[in-house]
Coordinates of all heavy atoms in Angstrom, one line a residue:
G1 N 135.5 116.0 103.6 CA 136.6 115.5 102.8 C 137.8 115.3 103.7 O 137.8 115.7 104.8
M2 N 138.8 114.7 103.1 CA 140.1 114.5 103.8 C 140.8 115.8 104.1 O 140.8 116.7 103.3 CB 141.0 113.6 102.9 CG 142.2 113.1 103.5 SD 143.0 111.8 102.6 CE 143.9 112.7 101.3
K3 N 141.5 115.8 105.3 CA 142.3 117.0 105.6 C 143.7 116.5 106.0 O 143.8 115.5 106.7 CB 141.7 117.7 106.8 CG 140.3 118.2 106.5 CD 139.9 119.4 107.3 CE 138.6 120.0 106.7 NZ 138.1 121.2 107.3
V4 N 144.7 117.2 105.5 CA 146.1 116.8 105.7 C 146.9 118.0 106.0 O 146.5 119.2 105.9 CB 146.6 116.1 104.4 CG1 145.8 114.9 104.0 CG2 146.7 117.1 103.3
N5 N 148.1 117.7 106.5 CA 149.1 118.8 106.7 C 150.0 118.8 105.4 O 150.4 117.7 104.9 CB 150.0 118.5 107.9 CG 149.2 118.4 109.2 OD1 148.1 119.0 109.2 ND2 149.7 117.8 110.2
L6 N 150.3 120.0 104.9 CA 151.2 120.1 103.8 C 152.2 121.2 104.0 O 151.9 122.2 104.6 CB 150.4 120.5 102.5 CG 149.3 119.5 102.0 CD1 148.4 120.2 101.0 CD2 150.1 118.4 101.3
E7 N 153.4 121.0 103.6 CA 154.5 122.0 103.7 C 155.3 122.0 102.4 O 155.7 121.0 101.9 CB 155.3 121.7 104.9 CG 156.4 122.8 105.1 CD 156.7 123.1 106.5 OE1 156.3 122.3 107.4 OE2 157.5 124.1 106.8
F8 N 155.5 123.2 101.9 CA 156.3 123.4 100.7 C 157.3 124.6 100.9 O 156.9 125.6 101.5 CB 155.4 123.8 99.5 CG 154.4 122.8 99.2 CD1 153.1 123.0 99.5 CD2 154.7 121.6 98.6 CE1 152.1 122.0 99.3 CE2 153.7 120.6 98.3 CZ 152.4 120.8 98.7
V9 N 158.5 124.4 100.6 CA 159.5 125.4 100.7 C 160.2 125.6 99.4 O 160.9 124.7 98.9 CB 160.6 125.1 101.8 CG1 161.6 126.2 101.9 CG2 159.9 124.9 103.2
D10 N 160.1 126.8 98.8 CA 160.7 127.1 97.5 C 160.4 125.9 96.5 O 161.4 125.5 95.8 CB 162.2 127.4 97.6 CG 162.4 128.7 98.3 OD1 161.5 129.6 98.2 OD2 163.5 128.9 98.9
T11 N 159.2 125.4 96.5 CA 158.9 124.3 95.6 C 158.2 124.8 94.3 O 157.3 125.7 94.4 CB 157.9 123.3 96.3 OG1 158.5 123.0 97.6 CG2 157.7 122.1 95.5
P12 N 158.6 124.4 93.2 CA 158.0 124.9 91.9 C 156.5 124.6 91.9 O 156.1 123.6 92.4 CB 158.7 124.1 90.8 CG 160.0 123.6 91.4 CD 159.7 123.5 92.9
L13 N 155.7 125.5 91.3 CA 154.3 125.4 91.3 C 153.8 124.1 90.7 O 152.9 123.4 91.3 CB 153.7 126.5 90.4 CG 152.3 126.4 89.9 CD1 151.4 126.5 91.1 CD2 151.9 127.4 88.9
D14 N 154.4 123.6 89.6 CA 154.0 122.3 89.1 C 154.2 121.2 90.0 O 153.3 120.3 90.1 CB 154.5 122.1 87.7 CG 156.0 122.1 87.6 OD1 156.7 122.4 88.6 OD2 156.6 121.9 86.5
E15 N 155.3 121.2 90.8 CA 155.5 120.2 91.8 C 154.5 120.3 93.0 O 154.0 119.2 93.5 CB 156.9 120.3 92.4 CG 158.0 119.6 91.6 CD 159.3 119.6 92.2 OE1 159.4 119.4 93.4 OE2 160.3 119.9 91.5
V16 N 154.2 121.5 93.4 CA 153.2 121.7 94.4 C 151.8 121.1 94.0 O 151.2 120.3 94.8 CB 153.0 123.2 94.8 CG1 151.8 123.4 95.7 CG2 154.3 123.7 95.4
M17 N 151.4 121.4 92.8 CA 150.1 120.9 92.3 C 150.1 119.4 92.1 O 149.1 118.8 92.4 CB 149.7 121.7 91.1 CG 149.5 123.2 91.2 SD 148.7 123.7 92.8 CE 147.0 123.2 92.5
R18 N 151.3 118.9 91.7 CA 151.4 117.4 91.5 C 151.3 116.8 92.9 O 150.6 115.7 93.0 CB 152.7 117.1 90.8 CG 152.7 115.9 90.0 CD 153.8 115.6 89.1 NE 155.1 116.1 89.5 CZ 155.8 117.0 88.8 NH1 155.3 117.5 87.6 NH2 157.0 117.4 89.2
A19 N 151.9 117.3 93.9 CA 151.9 116.8 95.3 C 150.4 116.8 95.8 O 149.9 115.8 96.3 CB 152.8 117.6 96.2
I20 N 149.7 117.9 95.6 CA 148.4 118.1 96.1 C 147.5 117.0 95.4 O 146.7 116.3 96.0 CB 147.8 119.5 95.9 CG1 148.6 120.4 96.9 CG2 146.3 119.6 96.1 CD1 148.2 121.9 96.6
S21 N 147.7 116.9 94.1 CA 147.0 116.0 93.2 C 147.2 114.6 93.7 O 146.2 113.8 93.9 CB 147.4 116.1 91.8 OG 146.9 115.1 91.0
S22 N 148.4 114.2 94.1 CA 148.7 112.9 94.5 C 148.2 112.6 95.9 O 147.6 111.5 96.2 CB 150.3 112.8 94.5 OG 150.7 111.6 95.2
V23 N 148.4 113.5 96.8 CA 147.9 113.3 98.2 C 146.4 113.1 98.3 O 145.9 112.3 99.0 CB 148.3 114.6 99.1 CG1 147.6 114.5 100.4 CG2 149.8 114.6 99.3
F24 N 145.7 113.9 97.5 CA 144.2 113.9 97.5 C 143.6 113.0 96.5 O 142.4 112.8 96.4 CB 143.6 115.3 97.5 CG 143.9 116.1 98.7 CD1 144.9 117.0 98.7 CD2 143.1 116.0 99.8 CE1 145.2 117.8 99.8 CE2 143.3 116.8 100.9 CZ 144.4 117.7 100.9
N25 N 144.5 112.4 95.6 CA 144.0 111.6 94.5 C 143.0 112.3 93.6 O 141.9 111.8 93.3 CB 143.5 110.3 95.1 CG 143.4 109.2 94.0 OD1 144.1 109.3 93.0 ND2 142.5 108.3 94.2
V26 N 143.3 113.5 93.2 CA 142.4 114.3 92.4 C 143.3 114.8 91.2 O 144.4 115.2 91.3 CB 142.0 115.6 93.2 CG1 141.3 116.6 92.2 CG2 141.1 115.3 94.3
P27 N 142.7 114.6 89.9 CA 143.5 115.0 88.8 C 143.5 116.5 88.7 O 142.5 117.2 88.6 CB 142.7 114.4 87.6 CG 141.3 114.2 88.1 CD 141.4 114.0 89.6
I28 N 144.7 117.1 88.7 CA 144.9 118.6 88.6 C 145.8 118.8 87.3 O 146.8 118.2 87.2 CB 145.5 119.2 89.8 CG1 144.6 119.0 91.0 CG2 145.8 120.7 89.6 CD1 145.2 119.5 92.3
V29 N 145.3 119.7 86.5 CA 146.0 120.0 85.2 C 146.4 121.5 85.2 O 145.5 122.3 85.5 CB 145.1 119.7 84.0 CG1 145.8 120.1 82.7 CG2 144.7 118.2 84.0
L30 N 147.6 121.8 84.9 CA 148.0 123.2 84.7 C 147.8 123.6 83.3 O 148.3 122.9 82.4 CB 149.5 123.4 85.1 CG 149.7 123.7 86.6 CD1 149.4 122.5 87.4 CD2 151.2 124.1 86.8
D31 N 147.1 124.6 83.1 CA 146.8 125.1 81.7 C 148.1 125.9 81.3 O 148.1 127.2 81.4 CB 145.6 126.0 81.7 CG 145.2 126.5 80.3 OD1 146.1 126.5 79.4 OD2 144.1 126.9 80.1
R32 N 149.1 125.2 81.0 CA 150.5 125.9 80.8 C 150.4 126.9 79.7 O 151.0 128.0 79.8 CB 151.5 124.8 80.4 CG 151.8 123.9 81.5 CD 152.7 122.8 81.1 NE 152.8 121.8 82.2 CZ 153.6 121.8 83.2 NH1 154.4 122.8 83.4 NH2 153.6 120.9 84.1
H33 N 149.7 126.7 78.6 CA 149.6 127.7 77.5 C 149.1 129.0 78.0 O 149.7 130.1 77.8 CB 148.7 127.1 76.4 CG 148.5 128.1 75.3 ND1 149.4 128.4 74.4 CD2 147.4 128.8 75.0 CE1 149.0 129.3 73.5 NE2 147.7 129.6 73.9
N34 N 148.0 129.0 78.7 CA 147.4 130.2 79.2 C 148.2 130.8 80.3 O 148.3 132.0 80.5 CB 145.9 130.0 79.6 CG 145.0 130.0 78.4 OD1 145.0 131.0 77.5 ND2 144.2 129.0 78.2
L35 N 148.7 130.0 81.2 CA 149.6 130.5 82.3 C 150.8 131.3 81.6 O 151.1 132.4 82.1 CB 150.1 129.4 83.2 CG 149.0 128.7 84.0 CD1 149.5 127.5 84.7 CD2 148.4 129.7 85.0
D36 N 151.4 130.7 80.6 CA 152.5 131.3 79.9 C 152.1 132.7 79.3 O 152.8 133.7 79.5 CB 153.0 130.4 78.8 CG 154.0 129.4 79.3 OD1 154.3 129.4 80.5 OD2 154.4 128.5 78.5
D37 N 150.9 132.6 78.7 CA 150.4 133.9 78.1 C 150.2 135.0 79.0 O 150.4 136.2 78.7 CB 149.0 133.6 77.4 CG 149.2 132.9 76.0 OD1 150.3 132.7 75.6 OD2 148.1 132.6 75.4
Y38 N 149.9 134.7 80.3 CA 149.7 135.7 81.3 C 151.0 135.9 82.2 O 150.9 136.5 83.2 CB 148.5 135.3 82.2 CG 147.2 135.6 81.5 CD1 146.6 134.7 80.7 CD2 146.5 136.8 81.7 CE1 145.4 134.9 80.1 CE2 145.3 137.1 81.1 CZ 144.7 136.1 80.3 OH 143.5 136.4 79.7
G39 N 152.1 135.3 81.7 CA 153.4 135.5 82.4 C 153.5 134.8 83.7 O 154.2 135.3 84.6
I40 N 152.8 133.7 83.9 CA 152.9 132.9 85.1 C 153.6 131.6 84.8 O 153.2 130.9 83.9 CB 151.5 132.6 85.7 CG1 150.7 133.8 86.0 CG2 151.6 131.6 86.9 CD1 149.3 133.6 86.4
W41 N 154.8 131.4 85.4 CA 155.6 130.3 85.1 C 155.4 129.1 86.0 O 155.2 129.3 87.2 CB 157.1 130.7 85.2 CG 157.3 132.1 84.5 CD1 157.8 133.2 85.1 CD2 157.0 132.4 83.1 NE1 157.9 134.2 84.2 CE2 157.4 133.8 83.0 CE3 156.5 131.7 82.1 CZ2 157.2 134.4 81.8 CZ3 156.3 132.4 80.9 CH2 156.7 133.7 80.7
T42 N 155.3 127.9 85.5 CA 155.0 126.8 86.3 C 156.2 126.4 87.2 O 156.0 125.5 88.0 CB 154.6 125.6 85.4 OG1 155.6 125.3 84.4 CG2 153.3 125.9 84.7
D43 N 157.4 127.0 87.0 CA 158.4 126.7 87.9 C 158.6 127.8 89.0 O 159.6 127.8 89.7 CB 159.8 126.5 87.2 CG 160.2 127.7 86.3 OD1 159.4 128.7 86.3 OD2 161.2 127.6 85.7
L44 N 157.6 128.6 89.1 CA 157.5 129.7 90.1 C 157.6 129.0 91.5 O 156.9 128.1 91.8 CB 156.1 130.3 90.0 CG 155.8 131.5 90.8 CD1 156.5 132.7 90.3 CD2 154.3 131.8 90.7
P45 N 158.6 129.4 92.3 CA 158.8 128.8 93.6 C 157.7 129.2 94.6 O 157.4 130.4 94.7 CB 160.2 129.3 94.1 CG 160.4 130.5 93.3 CD 159.6 130.5 92.1
M46 N 157.2 128.2 95.3 CA 156.1 128.4 96.3 C 156.6 128.0 97.7 O 157.3 127.0 97.8 CB 154.9 127.6 96.0 CG 154.4 127.6 94.6 SD 153.0 128.8 94.6 CE 152.9 129.2 92.9
T47 N 156.2 128.8 98.7 CA 156.4 128.4 100.1 C 155.1 128.5 100.8 O 154.5 129.6 100.7 CB 157.5 129.3 100.7 OG1 158.7 129.1 100.0 CG2 157.7 128.9 102.2
A48 N 154.7 127.4 101.4 CA 153.4 127.4 102.1 C 153.4 126.3 103.1 O 154.0 125.3 102.9 CB 152.3 127.2 101.1
S49 N 152.7 126.5 104.2 CA 152.5 125.5 105.2 C 151.1 125.5 105.7 O 150.5 126.5 106.0 CB 153.5 125.8 106.4 OG 153.4 124.8 107.4
F50 N 150.5 124.3 105.7 CA 149.1 124.1 106.0 C 148.9 123.0 107.0 O 149.5 122.0 106.9 CB 148.2 123.8 104.8 CG 148.3 124.8 103.6 CD1 148.9 124.4 102.4 CD2 147.9 126.1 103.8 CE1 149.0 125.3 101.4 CE2 148.0 127.0 102.7 CZ 148.6 126.6 101.5
Q51 N 148.0 123.3 108.0 CA 147.6 122.2 109.0 C 146.2 121.8 108.7 O 145.3 122.7 108.6 CB 147.8 122.8 110.4 CG 149.1 123.4 110.7 CD 150.2 122.4 110.6 OE1 150.1 121.3 111.0 NE2 151.3 122.8 109.9
R52 N 145.9 120.5 108.6 CA 144.6 120.0 108.5 C 143.8 120.8 107.5 O 142.8 121.4 107.8 CB 143.9 120.0 109.9 CG 144.5 119.1 110.9 CD 143.7 118.9 112.1 NE 142.3 118.7 111.9 CZ 141.7 117.6 111.4 NH1 142.5 116.6 111.0 NH2 140.4 117.5 111.3
I53 N 144.2 120.7 106.2 CA 143.6 121.5 105.2 C 143.0 120.6 104.1 O 143.5 119.5 103.9 CB 144.6 122.5 104.6 CG1 143.9 123.6 103.8 CG2 145.6 121.8 103.7 CD1 144.7 124.8 103.5
S54 N 141.9 121.0 103.5 CA 141.3 120.2 102.4 C 142.0 120.6 101.1 O 142.7 121.6 100.9 CB 139.8 120.6 102.3 OG 139.7 121.9 101.7
C55 N 141.8 119.7 100.1 CA 142.4 119.9 98.8 C 142.1 121.2 98.2 O 142.9 122.0 97.7 CB 142.0 118.7 97.9 SG 142.7 118.7 96.2
R56 N 140.8 121.5 98.1 CA 140.3 122.7 97.5 C 140.9 123.9 98.2 O 141.3 124.9 97.5 CB 138.8 122.7 97.4 CG 138.3 123.9 96.6 CD 136.7 123.8 96.5 NE 136.3 122.7 95.9 CZ 135.6 122.7 94.7 NH1 135.4 123.8 94.1 NH2 135.2 121.6 94.2
T57 N 140.8 124.0 99.5 CA 141.3 125.1 100.3 C 142.8 125.3 100.0 O 143.3 126.4 99.8 CB 141.0 125.0 101.8 OG1 139.6 124.7 101.9 CG2 141.4 126.2 102.5
A58 N 143.6 124.3 100.1 CA 145.0 124.4 99.9 C 145.3 124.9 98.5 O 146.1 125.9 98.3 CB 145.7 123.0 100.0
S59 N 144.6 124.4 97.5 CA 144.8 124.8 96.1 C 144.5 126.3 96.0 O 145.2 127.1 95.4 CB 144.0 124.0 95.2 OG 144.3 122.6 95.3
N60 N 143.3 126.6 96.5 CA 142.8 128.0 96.3 C 143.7 129.0 97.0 O 144.0 130.1 96.4 CB 141.4 128.1 96.9 CG 140.4 127.6 95.9 OD1 140.6 127.4 94.7 ND2 139.2 127.2 96.4
L61 N 144.2 128.7 98.2 CA 145.1 129.6 98.9 C 146.4 129.8 98.1 O 146.9 131.0 98.0 CB 145.4 129.1 100.3 CG 144.3 129.2 101.3 CD1 144.6 128.5 102.6 CD2 143.9 130.7 101.6
I62 N 147.0 128.7 97.7 CA 148.3 128.8 96.9 C 148.0 129.6 95.6 O 148.8 130.5 95.3 CB 148.8 127.4 96.6 CG1 149.4 126.8 97.9 CG2 149.9 127.5 95.5 CD1 149.8 125.4 97.8
L63 N 147.0 129.3 94.9 CA 146.8 129.9 93.6 C 146.4 131.3 93.7 O 146.9 132.1 92.9 CB 145.7 129.0 92.8 CG 146.1 127.6 92.5 CD1 144.9 126.8 91.9 CD2 147.3 127.6 91.6
K64 N 145.4 131.7 94.6 CA 145.0 133.0 94.6 C 146.1 134.0 94.9 O 146.2 135.1 94.4 CB 143.9 133.2 95.7 CG 143.0 134.4 95.5 CD 142.0 134.6 96.6 CE 141.0 133.5 96.6 NZ 140.0 133.7 97.7
E65 N 147.0 133.6 95.8 CA 148.1 134.4 96.2 C 149.0 134.7 95.0 O 149.8 135.6 95.0 CB 149.0 133.7 97.2 CG 149.9 134.5 98.0 CD 150.6 133.7 99.1 OE1 149.9 133.5 100.1 OE2 151.7 133.3 98.9
N66 N 148.9 133.8 94.0 CA 149.8 134.0 92.8 C 149.0 134.3 91.5 O 149.4 133.9 90.4 CB 150.6 132.7 92.6 CG 151.6 132.6 93.8 OD1 152.6 133.2 93.8 ND2 151.3 131.8 94.8
D67 N 147.8 134.9 91.7 CA 147.0 135.3 90.5 C 146.5 134.2 89.6 O 146.5 134.3 88.4 CB 147.7 136.4 89.7 CG 147.9 137.7 90.5 OD1 147.1 138.0 91.3 OD2 148.9 138.3 90.3
M68 N 146.3 133.0 90.3 CA 145.7 131.9 89.5 C 144.4 131.4 90.2 O 144.1 131.8 91.3 CB 146.7 130.7 89.5 CG 147.9 131.0 88.6 SD 149.2 129.7 88.8 CE 150.1 130.3 90.2
T69 N 143.7 130.6 89.5 CA 142.5 130.0 90.1 C 142.3 128.6 89.6 O 143.1 128.1 88.7 CB 141.3 130.9 89.7 OG1 140.2 130.4 90.5 CG2 140.9 130.8 88.3
M70 N 141.3 127.9 90.1 CA 141.1 126.5 89.7 C 139.7 126.4 89.1 O 138.7 127.0 89.7 CB 141.1 125.7 91.0 CG 141.0 124.2 90.7 SD 142.5 123.4 90.5 CE 143.1 123.2 92.2
V71 N 139.5 125.8 88.0 CA 138.2 125.6 87.4 C 138.0 124.1 87.5 O 138.8 123.3 87.0 CB 138.2 126.1 85.9 CG1 136.9 125.6 85.3 CG2 138.3 127.6 85.9
V72 N 136.9 123.7 88.1 CA 136.6 122.2 88.3 C 135.6 121.8 87.2 O 134.5 122.3 87.2 CB 136.1 121.9 89.7 CG1 135.8 120.5 89.8 CG2 137.1 122.4 90.7
D73 N 136.0 120.9 86.4 CA 135.1 120.3 85.4 C 135.3 118.8 85.6 O 135.1 118.3 86.7 CB 135.6 120.8 84.0 CG 134.5 120.5 82.9 OD1 133.4 119.9 83.3 OD2 134.7 120.7 81.7
S74 N 135.6 118.1 84.6 CA 135.9 116.6 84.8 C 137.2 116.4 85.5 O 137.4 115.5 86.2 CB 135.9 115.9 83.4 OG 136.9 116.5 82.6
E75 N 138.1 117.4 85.4 CA 139.3 117.5 86.2 C 139.4 118.9 86.7 O 138.7 119.7 86.4 CB 140.5 117.1 85.3 CG 140.6 117.9 84.1 CD 141.5 117.3 83.0 OE1 141.9 116.2 83.2 OE2 141.7 118.0 82.0
W76 N 140.4 119.1 87.5 CA 140.7 120.4 88.1 C 141.7 121.1 87.2 O 142.8 120.5 87.1 CB 141.1 120.3 89.5 CG 140.1 119.7 90.5 CD1 139.1 118.9 90.2 CD2 140.0 120.0 91.9 NE1 138.4 118.6 91.3 CE2 138.9 119.2 92.4 CE3 140.8 120.7 92.8 CZ2 138.6 119.2 93.7 CZ3 140.4 120.7 94.1 CH2 139.3 120.0 94.6
C77 N 141.4 122.2 86.7 CA 142.3 122.9 85.8 C 142.8 124.2 86.4 O 142.0 125.0 86.9 CB 141.7 123.1 84.5 SG 142.8 123.8 83.2
V78 N 144.1 124.4 86.5 CA 144.7 125.7 87.0 C 144.8 126.7 85.9 O 145.4 126.4 84.9 CB 146.1 125.4 87.6 CG1 146.7 126.7 88.1 CG2 145.9 124.4 88.8
L79 N 144.2 127.8 86.1 CA 144.2 128.9 85.1 C 144.6 130.2 85.7 O 144.5 130.4 86.9 CB 142.7 129.2 84.6 CG 142.0 128.0 83.9 CD1 140.5 128.4 83.8 CD2 142.6 127.7 82.6
P80 N 145.1 131.2 84.8 CA 145.3 132.5 85.3 C 144.0 133.2 85.7 O 143.0 133.0 85.1 CB 145.9 133.3 84.1 CG 146.3 132.2 83.1 CD 145.4 131.1 83.4
L81 N 144.0 133.9 86.9 CA 142.8 134.5 87.4 C 142.3 135.5 86.4 O 141.1 135.6 86.2 CB 143.2 135.2 88.7 CG 142.2 135.5 89.7 CD1 141.3 134.3 90.0 CD2 142.8 136.0 91.0
Q82 N 143.2 136.2 85.7 CA 142.7 137.3 84.8 C 141.8 136.7 83.6 O 141.0 137.4 83.1 CB 143.8 138.0 84.1 CG 144.7 138.8 85.1 CD 146.0 138.0 85.3 OE1 145.9 136.8 85.7 NE2 147.1 138.6 85.1
M83 N 142.0 135.4 83.3 CA 141.2 134.8 82.2 C 139.7 134.9 82.6 O 138.9 135.0 81.7 CB 141.6 133.4 82.0 CG 142.8 133.2 81.1 SD 143.0 131.4 80.8 CE 141.6 131.1 79.7
L84 N 139.4 134.8 83.8 CA 138.0 134.8 84.2 C 137.4 136.2 84.1 O 136.2 136.3 84.1 CB 137.8 134.2 85.6 CG 138.3 132.8 85.9 CD1 137.9 132.3 87.2 CD2 137.7 131.8 84.8
W85 N 138.3 137.2 84.2 CA 137.8 138.5 84.1 C 137.8 139.1 82.7 O 137.2 140.1 82.4 CB 138.7 139.5 85.0 CG 138.9 139.0 86.4 CD1 138.0 138.3 87.1 CD2 140.0 139.3 87.2 NE1 138.6 138.1 88.4 CE2 139.8 138.7 88.5 CE3 141.2 140.0 87.0 CZ2 140.6 138.8 89.5 CZ3 142.1 140.1 88.1 CH2 141.8 139.5 89.3
S86 N 138.5 138.5 81.8 CA 138.7 139.1 80.5 C 137.4 138.8 79.7 O 136.7 137.8 79.9 CB 139.9 138.5 79.7 OG 139.8 137.1 79.6
P87 N 137.0 139.7 78.8 CA 135.7 139.7 78.1 C 135.5 138.5 77.2 O 134.5 137.9 77.1 CB 135.7 141.0 77.3 CG 137.0 141.5 77.3 CD 137.7 141.0 78.5
N88 N 136.6 138.0 76.6 CA 136.5 136.8 75.7 C 136.8 135.5 76.4 O 137.8 135.0 76.4 CB 137.3 136.9 74.4 CG 138.7 137.4 74.7 OD1 139.1 137.5 75.9 ND2 139.5 137.7 73.6

């Protein structure tokens, strides 16, 4: 897959994911309802710098550091990590 350089300084999470989505031309959706439920705000500022990185790796590194994960179905959906661990 395509590899690019990305840099974000105090950039809100939703802008970061929109940029990644745009650069790689992949639909990424933030599950705002569940993120809110788990106390994760989409305007959370992110700082990250990547050299020659793939879409999935960039997303995973940013998200895991902030207790989120990505579920890939017809589109890529950003969810709170705890949702995958909770029994229901």
Side-chain angles (χ1 to χ4, degrees):
M2 185 166 86
K3 300 207 171 182
V4 301
N5 300 338
L6 293 168
E7 183 149 8
F8 303 103
V9 179
D10 288 336
T11 309
L13 167 67
D14 52 358
E15 275 183 44
V16 169
M17 299 318 290
R18 210 165 33 238
I20 291 174
S21 173
S22 168
V23 166
F24 291 98
N25 198 25
V26 169
I28 298 177
V29 175
L30 272 69
D31 183 343
R32 290 171 194 278
H33 174 73
N34 280 308
L35 291 172
D36 279 355
D37 281 356
Y38 283 86
I40 298 169
W41 315 121
T42 55
D43 57 359
L44 188 72
M46 307 265 161
T47 297
S49 182
F50 303 114
Q51 307 300 314
R52 297 189 42 71
I53 197 161
S54 71
C55 182
R56 189 179 294 248
T57 305
S59 303
N60 283 339
L61 287 172
I62 287 172
L63 295 173
K64 198 185 293 181
E65 197 175 285
N66 294 281
D67 295 326
M68 288 171 277
T69 190
M70 182 93 78
V71 174
V72 181
D73 194 1
S74 56
E75 57 200 3
W76 295 26
C77 188
V78 175
L79 300 169
L81 205 47
Q82 300 101 305
M83 274 188 72
L84 300 189
W85 305 334
S86 63
N88 45 9

